[in-house]
Amino acid sequence: MQQHDIAQHLATPLMNPAYPPVIPRFTDREYLNIVYRTDRDALRAVVPEPLEIDEPLVRFEVMRMGDVTGYGPYTEAGQAIPVRYDGERGEYLHAMYLDNFPATASGREASAYPKVAGSPSLYVDHGALVGVLDYGTVRVATATMGYKHHELDPEEAAAQITVPTFMLKLVPGFDGTTQVAQLVRTEISDVVVKGAWSGPARLQLFEHVLAPLADLPVCEIVSVSHVLTDLTLAPVRPVHDYLAR
């Protein structure tokens, strides 16, 4: 392969890259969202400047992807933290766990999503919507919600899932020093809300050294939603450079 051909490839392995060169469209993406109040000091310890915190809130989410261009169906779970940046309200993605390697690799390499391997599930069990997350063989989160108890306004549901998203883009050099350290921003577009509901909910987080969701403890559940939607993720763009002099 000639030198000028190398830059035409997206990722390695060169002849069978870890993820496809597509902008994914999510069809029948199903959310279980539980927003809860947590310890303010614990939150401050994990949210990077220059992001700012108002209320000490966390959104625990489990997402079942019905179909994704280039990746197929998979499930994802994680924590997002409401923040402000330069006067704009959004969410900081703290950690994401999923069961699809191409989606994990592309999320980390092509964008800046804090994705690692995990075993999340979203299903209905005896009148309850159940979202769970296992790390290896160990349960680290269990969420339950009354199944479709109350309809939610579709515009309110869309507003919940389309706030700007902030993430850290960290790329190490070969000598171990950081070569890229940026705060980046993205957002969801082309949203079609197919259904949205609310109801009573509970959330349990269990301590694990490699999946420390419980470091942001559940003090009080604030709001709950179950949303079925189609959407597209916009490319990320940097908004703050930690290495700039």
Side-chain angles (χ1 to χ4, degrees):
M1 183 177 292
Q2 297 182 358
Q3 291 192 41
H4 63 79
D5 293 324
I6 303 300
Q8 307 305 313
H9 290 259
L10 178 68
T12 59
L14 200 59
M15 304 312 297
N16 58 313
Y19 49 91
V22 298
I23 296 176
R25 175 68 177 172
F26 293 79
T27 303
D28 291 335
R29 181 172 183 168
E30 186 175 13
Y31 288 84
L32 169 57
N33 298 306
I34 299 182
V35 177
Y36 67 91
R37 197 174 307 279
T38 192
D39 179 80
R40 184 179 293 274
D41 291 336
L43 208 57
R44 284 177 174 158
V46 300
V47 174
E49 293 181 337
L51 297 176
E52 299 177 276
I53 302 167
D54 288 327
E55 291 189 75
L57 301 177
V58 180
R59 181 171 62 86
F60 174 76
E61 61 180 5
V62 183
M63 297 172 288
R64 182 171 57 194
M65 319 300 182
D67 182 70
V68 187
T69 309
Y71 305 101
Y74 65 93
T75 307
E76 185 169 336
Q79 289 170 311
I81 300 168
V83 293
R84 281 183 294 110
Y85 174 74
D86 198 22
E88 181 180 47
R89 294 187 181 277
E91 288 185 330
Y92 168 65
L93 287 187
H94 179 49
M96 308 174 80
Y97 303 83
L98 59 161
D99 58 6
N100 182 299
F101 176 74
T104 303
S106 68
R108 292 180 62 91
E109 294 180 21
S111 297
Y113 292 91
K115 296 187 175 188
V116 295
S119 299
S121 297
L122 183 63
Y123 57 94
V124 179
D125 184 12
H126 289 275
L129 182 64
V130 180
V132 298
L133 173 61
D134 294 344
Y135 189 87
T137 61
V138 179
R139 178 61 46 86
V140 293
T142 300
T144 54
M145 171 187 168
Y147 187 70
K148 296 185 179 181
H149 280 206
H150 310 289
E151 285 203 33
L152 192 63
D153 178 49
E155 291 188 4
E156 179 182 347
Q160 290 180 8
I161 62 175
T162 57
V163 297
T165 298
F166 298 95
M167 303 172 286
L168 287 179
K169 177 75 171 181
L170 299 176
V171 180
F174 293 109
D175 60 356
T177 60
T178 302
Q179 299 297 300
V180 176
Q182 297 175 330
L183 182 70
V184 303
R185 179 191 183 281
T186 186
E187 59 189 351
I188 287 172
S189 63
D190 301 327
V191 175
V192 178
V193 174
K194 297 179 173 180
W197 304 269
S198 187
R202 300 290 185 273
L203 174 62
Q204 294 175 286
L205 303 178
F206 307 98
E207 293 185 358
H208 192 299
V209 65
L210 298 182
L213 282 75
D215 286 3
L216 300 177
V218 180
C219 298
E220 175 193 8
I221 292 178
V222 175
S223 64
V224 186
S225 63
H226 172 203
V227 182
L228 182 63
T229 181
D230 298 343
L231 56 86
T232 302
L233 297 179
V236 302
R237 62 176 178 87
V239 294
H240 181 78
D241 189 347
Y242 292 96
L243 301 182
R245 296 292 184 265

